[in-house]
Amino acid sequence: MDPLILSRMQFGANISFHILFPTITIALGWVLLFFKLRYNATGDSAWIRAYFTWVKVFALSFAMGVVTGVTMSFQFGTNWPGYMEKVGNIAGPLLAYEILTAFFLEAAFLGIMLFGFRRVSNRIHTLATVLVAGGTTVSAFWIIALNSWMQTPAGFEIRDGVAHAVDWWAIVFNPSMPYRLTHMLLASGLTVSFLIAGLSALRYLKGDRSESMWKALRTGVFTAAILIPIQIFAGDQHGLNTLEHQPQKIAAMEANWNTGPNVPLVLFALPDEAAKENRFEIAIPDGASLVLRHSTSGVVPGLNDYPGNHPPVFPVFWGFRIMVGTGILMLIVSWSAAFFLKRRHSLPKPLALLMVPMGLSGWLATLAGWYTTEIGRQPWLVTGVLKTADAVGPVAGSHVALTLAIYLILYALLLIAYLGVLVHLALKAAKDGDSSPLPGVMKTAMSQPAAGE
Amino acid sequence: MSFDWPTALPLIFAGLMGLAILIYVILDGFDLGIGILFAAAEDAEQDTMIAAIGPFWDANETWLVLAVGLLLVAFPMAHGVILTALYIPVFVLLIGLILRGVAFDFRAKVPTERKHRWNRIFFLGSLIASLAQGYMLGVYVLGLDVGFGGMAFGVLVAFCLAAAYAAMGAAWVIYKTEGDLQKKAVRWLRTALVLTALGMAAVSLATPFASLRIFDKWFVWPAMLYLSPLPILSAILFLWLWRQTFHLPKPDDRHSLTPFLTLAAIFALGFAGLAWSFYPFVVPDRLTIWQAASAPESLAIILAGTVVVLPVIIFYSFYAYRVFGGKATDLTYD
């Protein structure tokens, strides 16, 4: 097979596997801080139990994120040397600032956050939690800045065939960056709230009615119920921003073959790129014009305006639909659960059963969304500056194929192990309930706890 | 030569990258070494050994990300050439690091009956990562030669580096533990030192034959004279440390950090020797640091950040080590 497509598959596989874990840690850090602050304020041990249950998930997710992230930092060089050669002057400083301002901060204080509870004062432990949560978010800021710059590059000029920075402010806050960052941070918040709600629902189904379960369940459900409408609005704004700066991506997302007014909103179709038409199309008349231009006669860009310069239609079209569909399901489930928790103080069993698999709905929506936006950037690696095909390295296809196969097997096994541990931790917490042993929580530091304490 | 930024910046970044690699090798060296020593440890000892590195390993591995990051951002041309030439060894290294990193967490969270499996994966991951790093170093020293000679030399360096990491791991265990495990670690250190010495002797003998370029840089008068302290000092420290292993641990646990610091010094000396062998090339015989460097304005903005942030990083890293100072006890989340 072609090294280009294999390298794309490999990077796609790595980044897909990687993004699962930062998506969890970015928001989970703040949720942990919330648990910690509630505990500090109330002294209720159920909050700190919730903290200790979820800090283990955080630790495991963080480790998965680190090792897969290291893999990606090497793959820029092993598979895509043309990328740094062409835009290294822009991408380099953004990556360097991510490492310097975020990675070290997270990694150094993670140890204190995870294992330092009895070694430092309660205040320092809370501060460590703040710094770790802040570090994950700063990290998201830089990497989204770089990713957005690849989508909508700004603030640079090409000299001697290489991109040079002209205006760093314009580079970091490029046109799509604020929208993408908001959309991604909300996605992380939703992923975590559904994961917490899902695993708490599992505990609920196992008969666990402990205070720490209720606290986690309510936190997950209510956060999700609040964030999902905000996300739908933010996603819509992001879409309008894409329409302005990357119309060919919108054309592919809507599977709209011809530019014009009164474009229908396609709900279902099998886009056929060879015939340039949709098969088995089910559509709402004028829908896309209405959504994108707020008028039935609004002109929506079509793929015919971008011959040879638009992304593959099928994956972009379907990635978008899976993301939106999952979002709608999230809205229904989180609002129903919030209603029952608020009014009835209980969960109907079928709803709890549905919430368990919905625990992973954030992952599904995030991946589908990223496929939409990243495949939607093709055939460019950096829009208008560097084609993906021009960045691939000289490595033999067989090497890439072999390593890809091993990565895929490894990632599949790790994913199974990860989910297994999540379920194991939830069941263990369900069994222990509010009787899991807790150390006496002290205001002052204890330098060396006695062994076996 | 007058001072000008376009000349100075690549040099500064080469220095920073070298520093990041050296710190990585010393810090993650003991993590990986402890992973290798897992094979020789009992169950309970393994828990203590993990407790000795658990709070640190993440931050330690971050130095590798910084080193690769600096290579990537400061020398984008070299980054592509080196990493595409080392495609398979880099892949093996990454698999090793992935296994090692996740095993840390899984072994503590899976049901007890599965813990053994993750302990084995932790050992394998650490060993694979160490060997891969040594192999890459060997091939790199020979100018990315991937012929049979280069591969054989790479294998030699791989075993040497794995032994050196094991020595670092043992020295760290001596510092962080007490009692039987500490005594055991002294024996591990002695064995690892012998293996490291054998490896280093073989590498030293092979290098002049394998690379004429390096031979020419070392064995010319008067460079030979200026350089002679490097090997002589290393050898003295090495022998001294080996003799010390017969007197450790000392009463009241005095000097328990000394073996680790001595090894760190030996690593630093060896690293200085390597740096001399390569200067001014970043890809041996192909690209100098100036040919491979990014644009000065991009380097300048990274440097500005680095100058501000690096001292802060070093400060809070020390703080984290202090919080978990003293002998390792059970690691618990609560």
Side-chain angles (χ1 to χ4, degrees):
Chain A
M1 250 168 116
D2 177 20
L4 171 64
I5 210 69
L6 286 165
S7 280
R8 282 184 59 192
M9 283 166 67
Q10 185 171 99
F11 201 77
N14 279 321
I15 205 159
S16 301
F17 189 62
H18 171 72
I19 201 175
L20 301 176
F21 303 104
T23 306
I24 287 180
T25 52
I26 290 167
L28 187 52
W30 296 109
V31 173
L32 286 170
L33 180 66
F34 172 72
F35 288 162
K36 188 76 206 290
L37 291 176
R38 292 306 298 150
Y39 165 73
N40 289 352
T42 62
D44 184 344
S45 62
W47 285 115
I48 203 76
R49 281 203 170 84
Y51 182 94
F52 288 136
T53 303
W54 284 94
V55 86
K56 295 187 183 94
V57 176
F58 185 88
L60 186 61
S61 310
F62 194 91
M64 299 280 270
V66 168
V67 295
T68 49
V70 172
T71 307
M72 285 185 359
S73 70
F74 277 92
Q75 282 193 345
F76 284 131
T78 52
N79 293 48
W80 305 102
Y83 175 68
M84 288 312 278
E85 282 166 22
K86 181 93 181 179
V87 299
N89 289 326
I90 313 281
L94 296 180
L95 288 169
Y97 272 84
E98 184 182 13
I99 298 170
L100 288 170
T101 60
F103 287 173
F104 277 107
L105 191 71
E106 298 168 79
F109 286 97
L110 183 70
I112 297 175
M113 174 179 164
L114 296 181
F115 309 116
F117 193 67
R118 280 187 285 172
R119 289 187 173 251
V120 295
S121 68
N122 196 36
R123 188 175 301 178
I124 296 281
H125 186 254
T126 306
L127 179 67
T129 310
V130 174
L131 290 172
V132 172
T136 57
T137 310
V138 171
S139 168
F141 172 88
W142 289 115
I143 203 70
I144 294 285
L146 174 55
N147 181 274
S148 300
W149 185 83
M150 290 160 62
Q151 301 273 356
T152 52
F156 71 105
E157 63 184 20
I158 302 283
R159 289 204 303 268
D160 307 324
V162 173
H164 285 259
V166 176
D167 178 354
W168 280 105
W169 188 264
I171 290 170
V172 173
F173 296 97
N174 59 75
S176 65
M177 189 269 186
Y179 297 91
R180 195 181 314 277
L181 182 63
T182 311
H183 200 41
M184 183 62 217
L185 292 180
L186 286 166
S188 175
L190 282 164
T191 304
V192 168
S193 26
F194 270 92
L195 185 68
I196 293 178
L199 286 182
S200 301
L202 180 64
R203 289 169 68 176
Y204 184 89
L205 288 169
K206 284 283 162 185
D208 181 5
R209 296 291 182 276
S210 62
E211 263 310 300
S212 63
M213 187 287 298
W214 281 117
K215 287 193 157 49
L217 180 64
R218 284 201 203 97
T219 306
V221 168
F222 292 142
T223 313
I226 293 168
L227 290 184
I228 188 74
I230 303 176
Q231 177 70 309
I232 291 171
F233 175 74
D236 177 59
Q237 294 299 308
H238 189 19
L240 295 180
N241 175 266
T242 309
L243 175 65
E244 188 183 339
H245 295 279
Q246 295 173 290
Q248 71 277 33
K249 189 191 284 185
I250 292 288
M253 277 157 69
E254 300 299 347
N256 181 31
W257 300 96
N258 295 300
T259 305
N262 304 92
V263 173
L265 183 65
V266 181
L267 297 179
F268 180 94
L270 296 179
D272 183 344
E273 225 167 301
K276 299 197 194 307
E277 61 177 28
N278 293 331
R279 288 188 284 142
F280 310 110
E281 183 179 285
I282 303 171
I284 303 173
D286 301 337
S289 289
L290 207 54
V291 169
L292 289 162
R293 298 292 190 197
H294 303 154
S295 142
T296 52
S297 57
V299 175
V300 173
L303 293 157
N304 60 332
D305 281 357
Y306 311 95
N309 187 26
H310 67 74
V313 181
F314 193 94
V316 176
F317 175 84
W318 274 107
F320 184 65
R321 263 140 204 81
I322 291 170
M323 177 185 76
V324 172
T326 312
I328 292 168
L329 198 59
M330 288 165 117
L331 181 73
I332 296 168
V333 169
S334 63
W335 281 18
S336 318
F339 170 81
F340 281 105
L341 286 182
K342 205 89 189 137
R343 291 291 163 85
R344 309 277 162 80
H345 301 285
S346 71
L347 276 182
K349 202 176 163 198
L351 182 59
L353 273 172
L354 177 62
M355 280 166 71
V356 176
M358 281 297 283
L360 299 180
S361 58
W363 274 6
L364 179 65
T366 305
L367 282 180
W370 274 104
Y371 286 154
T372 307
T373 198
E374 296 296 283
I375 299 173
R377 192 191 55 227
Q378 304 301 328
W380 297 97
L381 186 56
V382 180
T383 307
V385 176
L386 176 65
K387 284 235 162 96
T388 309
D390 296 331
V392 74
V395 176
S398 57
H399 281 26
V400 186
L402 173 75
T403 53
L404 172 64
I406 298 173
Y407 276 127
L408 286 176
I409 295 167
L410 181 65
Y411 288 162
L413 293 175
L414 286 180
L415 196 59
I416 293 167
Y418 176 85
L419 293 175
V421 166
L422 250 47
V423 170
H424 170 69
L425 286 176
L427 295 180
K428 197 158 142 253
K431 213 174 85 195
D432 294 344
D434 278 337
S435 60
S436 64
L438 271 189
V441 177
M442 287 154 288
K443 286 267 183 282
T444 50
M446 229 175 109
S447 57
Q448 292 293 323
E453 191 188 359
Chain B
M1 192 179 76
S2 65
F3 186 86
D4 67 320
W5 283 106
T7 312
L9 278 170
L11 202 57
I12 294 171
F13 272 88
L16 280 175
M17 193 173 75
L19 185 70
I21 295 175
L22 180 63
I23 296 178
Y24 170 74
V25 165
I26 291 173
L27 293 184
D28 209 26
F30 71 71
D31 297 335
L32 290 168
I34 282 178
I36 295 171
L37 294 173
F38 245 50
E42 316 276 331
D43 277 5
E45 293 169 346
Q46 291 179 337
D47 286 342
T48 312
M49 286 157 73
I50 284 285
I53 51 177
F56 316 120
W57 76 274
D58 239 325
N60 294 347
E61 193 170 310
T62 306
W63 289 97
L64 177 67
V65 180
L66 180 65
V68 176
L70 284 174
L71 176 64
L72 177 115
V73 304
F75 306 105
M77 307 291 164
H79 179 253
V81 174
I82 293 172
L83 292 185
T84 47
L86 295 175
Y87 192 83
I88 296 291
V90 165
F91 166 74
V92 174
L93 167 68
L94 292 172
I95 295 288
L97 288 177
I98 289 174
L99 292 177
R100 187 276 298 246
V102 298
F104 251 110
D105 269 279
F106 276 122
R107 69 181 288 286
K109 293 180 186 67
V110 292
T112 336
E113 67 271 16
R114 304 233 180 88
K115 193 169 163 185
H116 265 295
R117 179 188 301 169
W118 288 103
N119 282 340
R120 264 203 303 279
I121 292 176
F122 183 67
F123 159 72
L124 273 178
S126 303
L127 182 67
I128 291 170
S130 309
L131 290 173
Q133 285 176 12
Y135 180 84
M136 284 158 65
L137 176 64
V139 173
Y140 177 71
V141 165
L142 298 192
L144 301 174
D145 168 13
V146 283
F148 180 74
M151 280 163 72
F153 186 75
V155 170
L156 191 62
V157 179
F159 281 102
C160 184
L161 189 70
Y165 279 170
M168 295 284 278
W172 190 254
V173 174
I174 293 173
Y175 170 54
K176 293 295 280 182
T177 66
E178 51 206 343
D180 289 338
L181 179 55
Q182 194 183 33
K183 294 199 186 83
K184 209 168 175 178
V186 172
R187 292 197 297 277
W188 287 337
L189 175 62
R190 196 180 306 146
T191 314
L193 281 178
V194 172
L195 291 174
T196 311
L198 286 175
M200 279 175 74
V203 171
S204 304
L205 285 175
T207 307
F209 296 102
S211 171
L212 211 61
R213 172 180 56 85
I214 293 176
F215 183 86
D216 288 342
K217 283 202 82 161
W218 280 78
F219 296 95
V220 286
W221 198 261
M224 230 165 123
L225 184 68
Y226 306 137
L227 291 168
S228 58
L230 287 180
I232 293 171
L233 206 56
S234 304
I236 292 172
L237 285 174
F238 216 100
L239 281 173
W240 180 79
L241 183 59
W242 188 69
R243 277 183 51 116
Q244 282 297 304
T245 61
F246 292 96
H247 307 293
L248 282 168
K250 299 252 167 85
D252 297 335
D253 205 40
R254 277 184 293 118
H255 306 305
S256 65
L257 188 56
T258 311
F260 178 73
L261 293 179
T262 312
L263 278 169
I266 296 173
F267 266 84
L269 289 169
F271 197 78
L274 276 176
W276 170 255
S277 309
F278 291 124
Y279 180 84
F281 289 100
V282 60
V283 181
D285 290 336
R286 276 192 256 172
L287 282 173
T288 68
I289 52 179
W290 291 281
Q291 290 165 334
S294 294
E297 70 267 18
S298 292
L299 291 179
I301 196 160
I302 304 173
L303 185 64
T306 310
V307 168
V308 176
V309 179
L310 203 59
V312 180
I313 292 173
I314 290 173
F315 171 77
Y316 63 58
S317 301
F318 265 107
Y319 174 73
Y321 272 90
R322 255 202 47 193
V323 167
F324 295 96
K327 298 297 176 188
T329 50
D330 286 352
L331 272 192
T332 56
Y333 284 96
D334 39 36

